[in-house]
């Protein structure tokens, strides 16, 4: 081996760590800091709630006359739970001072120091060079150095580490906070809340006092609001009073009475509809009409969702077969239509999303965010006619996969028009059918390899448990098809490709290999056999241009009948999410440029991961938490 080759070999072994260091320097600083802030935020909220829960537990285990805890402490517990009940997000611990302190301590400080030093060095070198060639008095270097240092420092303030927009986005982004709350705190909160309202604790006079104080305050606040509302709407028409808690038993007047009566007579062909009236429950964002009409079967309500929406001019949220277990049909109506457009940045906080490793946000319905848990429902399809917003839906899901450190792999047979750039961030992409076949084959091999690994380790259920037990870092893989029909056109590799896809669809869940398929026109041919289709249970279906396509995608005509024929961009019917079946959602909008920018901000942490091979090149992730 010549000397040059030896040197080159030595140097090449240096490159990966240098590359990794540069990637860390460029991409991870803010990410890590934000994750840390969120972690601290959640942890302190958790501690708070746990303290409250333990205290309530203590009280519950004592006879009520032996409770000698000061009233102030009990007030604190009751208020804490009431506050979390009203606003579902962690509270004060994320104050500006804390975040700022964190921000100042870590990378920002380091970066600013670097700028300052470079400014200083620059000034010294310049004055020295000037001194060499001219009779520039050298003692001037000191004020010049100070000025240049200051200049660089100001530059870094503007271009460097931006913390405030993050705080603003985190505190303003209520939905994301709610999601964080739901993922991390809801269980402990519910336990504490249930305990607080248990029969045992209601006997404790101190708790009663605290509860009364809170409800009194609420009442006062309510009456104040009412009086302000009255002054504002003095001239408006009187509104029927449905305030009595959350239901009305007024059988003569209920909201949308005329519309309902028309629906009952014209669609359900009932006579004398004035004698039937629903019980009305107001649930905040939605309202339920509970109908007790034995002659109308549940399926007739379900079949007529589109008509109900047309008569009431409001979207149906869900039809309950047995509302509250009282054997009657409950038609839940959203009070407001879905927003015309919601922007990705306002709904999805990528830093919060990184904390929820099993699910991604797909969109919002009338009650809030709708998520897809890909560990439970491993494969998905996004379909819709041209302009339905499939790409947008894919973009927001893919960005979330990426931030959760999973490994999306792309098959873009339009020659890489949509996803070609992902290569720049180190993600695999196939742009020809042959390459696609290779990718699909190696994904299927990966399923087998992982199956083997799980068997060897005796880990029965899934790859997440395997990772936890062995300390391995096997990423969840997502094979994303941009337009599936292009892959399933007749060609010689189709049969082999489809059999690999079937294997992934059947065995991918426990092995962490997923399919996400986008297509314009779902058909028998383009979606393959029924058993393949039935394994793809997450459905996100936009407007379809025919009843038949909707039938294939959803098993009913909803995507053709229920979704409007104009202005349908971003509206989807979803299945396999945490929302009720066939929920109508709006997908957040993100344009191509923003998607590209956000995607390229983050480099593939699993670069070099060899699919289907036993030996893997693992990028060892550094634990930079110690900077705190
Ligand atoms: N969530 C959304 N909210 C509002 N408008 C949207 C949304 N998604 C998409 N749109 C609008 O619809 C247009 C088409 O969106 P997109 O390219 O995602 O559709 P598509 O279904 O992928 O279409 P094609 O199949 O032709 O590629 C966008 O340019 C945008 O104006």
């Amino acid at each position: 081996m010549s000397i040059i080759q030896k040197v080159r070999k030595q140097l090449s072994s240096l490159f990966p760590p240098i590359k990794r260091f540069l990637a860390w320097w460029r991409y991870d600083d803010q990410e890590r800091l934000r994750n840390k802030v969120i972690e601290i935020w959640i942890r302190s909220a958790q501690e708070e709630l746990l303290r409250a829960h333990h205290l309530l537990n203590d009280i519950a285990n004592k006879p009520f006359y032996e409770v000698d805890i000061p009233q102030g402490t009990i007030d604190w517990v009751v208020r804490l739970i009431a506050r979390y009940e009203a606003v579902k997000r962690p509270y004060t611990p994320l104050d500006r001072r804390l975040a700022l302190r964190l921000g100042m301590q870590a990378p920002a400080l380091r970066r600013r120091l670097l700028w300052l030093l470079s400014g200083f060095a620059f000034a010294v070198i310049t004055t020295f060079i000037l001194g060499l060639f001219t009779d520039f008095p050298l003692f001037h270097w000191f004020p010049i150095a100070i000025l240049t240092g200051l200049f660089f420092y100001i530059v870094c303030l503007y271009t460097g580490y931006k913390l405030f927009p993050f705080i603003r986005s985190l505190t303003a982004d209520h939905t994301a906070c709610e999601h964080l709350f739901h993922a991390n705190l809801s269980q402990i909160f519910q336990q504490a809340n249930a305990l607080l309202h248990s029969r045992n604790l209601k006997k404790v006079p101190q708790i009663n006092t605290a509860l009364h104080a809170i409800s009194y305050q609420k009442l006062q606040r309510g009456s104040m609001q009412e009086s302000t509302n009255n002054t504002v709407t003095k001239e408006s028409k009187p509104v029927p009073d449905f305030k009595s808690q959350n239901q009305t038993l007024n059988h003569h007047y209920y909201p949308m009475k005329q519309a309902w009566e028309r629906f009952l007579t014209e669609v359900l062909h009932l006579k004398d509809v004035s004698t039937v009236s629903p019980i009305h429950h107001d649930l905040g964002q939605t309202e339920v009409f509970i109908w007790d009409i034995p002659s109308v079967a549940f399926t007739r309500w379900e079949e007529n969702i589109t008509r109900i929406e047309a008569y009431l001019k409001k979207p149906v949220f869900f039809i309950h077969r047995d509302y509250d277990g009282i054997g009657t049909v409950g038609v839940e109506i959203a009070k407001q239509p879905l927003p015309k457009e919601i922007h990705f940045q306002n709904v999805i906080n990528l830093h919060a999303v990184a904390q929820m490793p099993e699910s991604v946000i797909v969109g919002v319905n009338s009650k809030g965010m709708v998520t897809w848990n890909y560990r439970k429902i491993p494969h998905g399809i996004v379909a819709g006619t041209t302009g339905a917003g499939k790409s947008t839906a894919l973009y927001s899901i893919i960005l979330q996969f990426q931030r959760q450190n999973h490994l999306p792999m792309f098959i873009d047979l339009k020659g890489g028009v949509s996803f070609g750039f992902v290569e720049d961030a180190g993600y695999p992409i196939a742009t020809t059918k042959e390459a696609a076949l290779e990718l699909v084959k190696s994904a299927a091999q990966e399923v087998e390899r992982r199956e083997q690994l799980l068997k060897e380790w005796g880990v029965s259920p899934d790859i997440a448990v395997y990772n936890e037990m062995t300390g391995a870092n096997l990423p969840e893989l997502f094979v994303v098809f941009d337009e599936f029909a292009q892959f399933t056109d007749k060609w010689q590799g189709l049969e082999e490709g489809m059999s690999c896809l079937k294997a992934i669809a059947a065995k991918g869940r426990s092995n962490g290999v997923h399919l996400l398929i986008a297509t314009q026109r779902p058909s028998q041919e383009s979606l393959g056999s029924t058993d393949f289709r039935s394994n793809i249970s997450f459905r996100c279906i936009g407007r379809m241009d025919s009843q038949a396509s909707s039938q294939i995608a959803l098993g009913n005509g909803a995507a053709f009948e229920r979704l409007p024929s104009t202005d349908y961009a971003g509206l989807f019917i979803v299945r396999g999410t945490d929302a009720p079946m066939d929920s109508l959602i709006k997908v957040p909008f993100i344009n191509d440029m923003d998607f590209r920018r956000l995607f390229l901000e983050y480099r593939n942490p699993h670069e070099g991961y060899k699919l289907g091979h036993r030996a893997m090149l693992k990028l060892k992730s550094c634990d930079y938490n110690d900077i705190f």
Side-chain angles (χ1 to χ4, degrees):
M1 196 188 281
S2 73
I3 295 180
I4 297 178
Q5 274 172 333
K6 271 186 193 163
V7 172
R8 197 181 285 168
K9 200 176 162 208
Q10 287 294 326
L11 282 181
S12 67
S13 68
L14 277 181
F15 281 140
I18 292 175
K19 259 172 115 180
R20 242 179 288 145
F21 176 75
L22 287 180
W24 166 73
W25 182 268
R26 281 188 61 198
Y27 300 108
D28 287 351
D29 266 8
Q30 294 202 7
E31 201 71 24
R32 209 172 332 107
L33 184 65
R34 287 166 185 192
N35 287 344
K36 194 76 195 172
V37 173
I38 290 175
E39 194 190 308
I40 291 174
W41 194 33
I42 293 289
R43 206 189 314 130
S44 45
Q46 236 160 10
E47 277 165 12
E48 218 177 24
L49 277 168
L50 267 176
R51 258 181 69 203
H53 186 237
H54 289 325
L55 204 112
L56 289 175
N57 235 340
D58 279 353
I59 300 176
N61 289 330
K62 284 183 186 172
F64 71 89
Y65 42 84
E66 271 185 19
V67 174
D68 52 359
I69 296 169
Q71 184 67 41
T73 315
I74 291 186
D75 280 351
W76 172 79
V77 172
V78 174
R79 264 168 220 285
L80 181 85
I81 293 174
R83 191 181 69 203
Y84 278 122
E85 196 165 24
V87 185
K88 296 247 182 306
R89 62 195 151 99
Y91 199 54
T92 38
L94 180 83
D95 65 0
R96 267 160 202 248
R97 268 168 302 142
L98 168 68
L100 192 64
R101 232 180 314 143
L102 284 169
M104 290 299 287
Q105 269 176 13
L109 192 65
R110 190 189 53 210
R111 198 175 294 175
R112 284 169 198 186
L113 206 67
L114 200 78
W115 277 108
L116 199 63
L117 280 179
S118 46
F120 202 70
F122 177 74
V124 171
I125 293 168
T126 321
T127 34
F128 186 70
I129 293 171
L130 281 175
L132 277 185
F133 296 106
T134 62
D135 56 351
F136 190 78
L138 276 189
F139 59 86
H140 277 184
W141 73 266
F142 186 69
I144 292 178
I146 298 272
L147 281 179
T148 327
L150 267 179
F151 171 72
F152 273 90
Y153 187 71
I154 289 165
V155 167
C156 98
L157 277 185
Y158 279 98
T159 57
Y161 191 75
K162 291 196 183 91
L163 192 68
F164 283 112
F166 158 64
I167 299 178
R168 237 176 282 135
S169 71
L170 198 69
T171 47
D173 192 352
H174 291 183
T175 27
C177 294
E178 271 173 31
H179 204 85
L180 269 176
F181 182 90
H182 186 71
N184 297 288
L185 304 169
S186 72
Q187 201 183 354
I188 160 172
F189 163 73
Q190 273 161 14
Q191 281 171 1
N193 198 19
L195 199 57
L196 178 67
H197 292 104
S198 67
R199 221 180 268 169
N200 252 0
L201 289 193
K202 282 239 164 101
K203 287 187 203 145
V204 180
Q206 289 98 317
I207 289 199
N208 264 334
T209 318
L211 283 171
H212 277 129
I214 284 193
S215 54
Y216 180 67
Q217 272 176 4
K218 259 194 208 161
L219 253 172
Q220 271 191 329
R221 237 178 285 138
S223 63
M224 263 171 64
Q225 237 165 26
E226 215 170 89
S227 61
T228 30
N229 286 351
N230 285 346
T231 47
V232 176
T233 55
K234 227 188 276 169
E235 316 254 317
S236 60
K237 278 194 212 156
V239 182
D241 177 22
F242 293 121
K243 264 195 285 113
S244 57
Q245 277 304 304
N246 56 8
Q247 67 197 38
T248 175
L249 294 175
N250 179 349
H251 282 230
H252 303 294
Y253 191 88
Y254 47 91
M256 299 176 270
K257 183 172 195 286
Q258 275 122 5
W260 273 118
E261 282 183 357
R262 278 186 58 210
F263 171 77
L264 295 179
T265 23
E266 292 167 21
V267 179
L268 299 184
H269 306 298
L270 296 185
K271 304 208 169 83
D272 197 14
V273 289
S274 57
T275 57
V276 277
S277 56
I279 295 178
H280 173 241
H281 277 213
D282 189 335
L283 302 182
Q285 316 282 25
T286 59
E287 51 193 331
V288 190
F289 294 87
I290 305 167
W291 293 99
D292 190 6
I293 313 176
S295 59
V296 182
F298 171 73
T299 43
R300 284 193 65 203
W301 291 98
E302 240 189 0
E303 282 160 11
N304 286 305
I305 291 184
T306 324
R307 301 273 189 87
I308 297 176
E309 287 179 338
Y311 276 83
L312 265 58
K313 310 247 177 318
K314 291 196 174 171
V316 171
F317 181 75
F318 188 53
I319 306 225
H320 302 258
R321 183 186 276 274
D322 186 11
Y323 188 76
D324 262 357
I326 52 175
T328 41
V329 171
V331 184
E332 190 167 351
I333 307 283
K335 285 188 185 164
Q336 301 293 335
L338 289 174
K340 273 241 168 300
E341 185 173 317
I342 45 171
H343 201 271
F344 179 81
Q345 314 272 24
N346 297 335
V347 184
I348 297 178
N349 181 327
L350 286 175
H351 313 291
V353 159
Q355 308 284 314
M356 33 180 250
E358 293 195 354
S359 51
V360 285
I361 298 163
V362 189
V364 292
N365 66 10
S366 314
K367 282 198 177 167
M369 275 192 280
V370 174
T371 58
W372 164 33
N373 183 327
Y374 46 79
R375 291 251 165 88
K376 286 194 190 140
I377 310 272
H379 313 293
I381 177 169
V382 179
T385 184
T386 174
K390 297 181 297 297
S391 309
T392 317
L394 276 188
Y395 291 166
S396 71
I397 293 178
I398 288 165
L399 279 174
Q400 295 176 70
F401 288 157
Q402 191 201 33
R403 299 307 157 103
Q404 290 174 350
N405 281 337
H406 300 324
L407 178 52
M409 300 181 296
F410 300 83
I411 296 184
D412 178 358
L413 298 179
K414 291 180 203 151
V417 179
S418 311
F419 292 109
F421 65 89
V422 299
E423 252 175 335
D424 298 344
Y427 288 89
I429 176 165
T431 50
T432 61
K433 282 185 173 167
E434 290 68 29
L437 180 63
E438 277 310 304
L439 199 149
V440 165
K441 265 163 60 180
S442 40
Q445 278 163 12
E446 178 74 5
V447 170
E448 272 174 26
R449 181 181 80 94
R450 289 184 176 195
E451 213 172 18
Q452 205 57 39
L453 282 179
L454 291 188
K455 257 193 214 150
E456 276 169 23
W457 272 80
V459 182
S460 49
D462 64 40
I463 210 73
V465 183
Y466 174 82
N467 277 343
E468 209 166 285
M469 277 178 64
T470 63
N473 184 19
L474 297 182
E476 302 264 341
L477 306 174
F478 291 86
V479 183
V480 182
F481 281 86
D482 184 32
E483 175 49 76
F484 193 55
Q486 279 170 329
F487 183 77
T488 51
D489 273 353
K490 282 214 158 48
W491 67 292
Q492 57 193 28
L494 178 61
E495 210 170 300
E496 196 179 359
M498 280 314 286
S499 67
C500 292
L501 289 180
K502 272 185 206 161
I504 298 174
K507 298 192 265 179
R509 193 197 65 78
S510 52
N511 301 308
V513 182
H514 310 261
L515 298 174
L516 181 59
I517 289 171
T519 184
Q520 261 191 18
R521 246 170 248 99
S523 63
Q524 303 280 25
E525 302 78 54
S526 73
L527 276 190
S529 60
T530 356
D531 56 336
F532 175 63
R533 253 182 298 155
S534 61
N535 277 330
I536 304 188
S537 318
F538 163 62
R539 307 274 165 104
C540 183
I541 312 297
R543 166 82 189 173
M544 287 288 164
D545 47 16
S546 72
Q547 183 91 14
S549 305
S550 176
Q551 276 291 346
I552 298 213
L554 283 174
N556 60 36
F560 178 62
E561 291 165 357
R562 243 184 114 187
L563 294 176
S565 52
T566 53
D567 279 349
Y568 49 72
L571 278 177
F572 286 84
I573 291 176
V574 285
R575 209 175 261 188
T577 62
D578 61 348
M581 190 160 131
D582 288 357
S583 239
L584 189 65
I585 66 159
K586 185 85 186 178
V587 162
F589 179 65
I590 175 169
N591 64 31
D592 300 2
M593 292 310 294
D594 282 344
F595 169 63
R596 198 189 173 99
R597 181 179 53 76
L598 285 171
F599 193 91
L600 290 177
E601 262 178 21
Y602 198 88
R603 219 178 152 76
N604 179 6
H606 306 284
E607 217 174 338
Y609 184 89
K610 297 257 189 315
L611 286 182
H613 286 242
R614 277 203 81 87
M616 277 182 297
L617 186 80
K618 251 200 290 167
L619 274 186
K620 194 169 168 293
S621 62
C622 317
D623 184 9
Y624 296 111
N625 284 340
D626 50 6
I627 55 169
F628 291 101

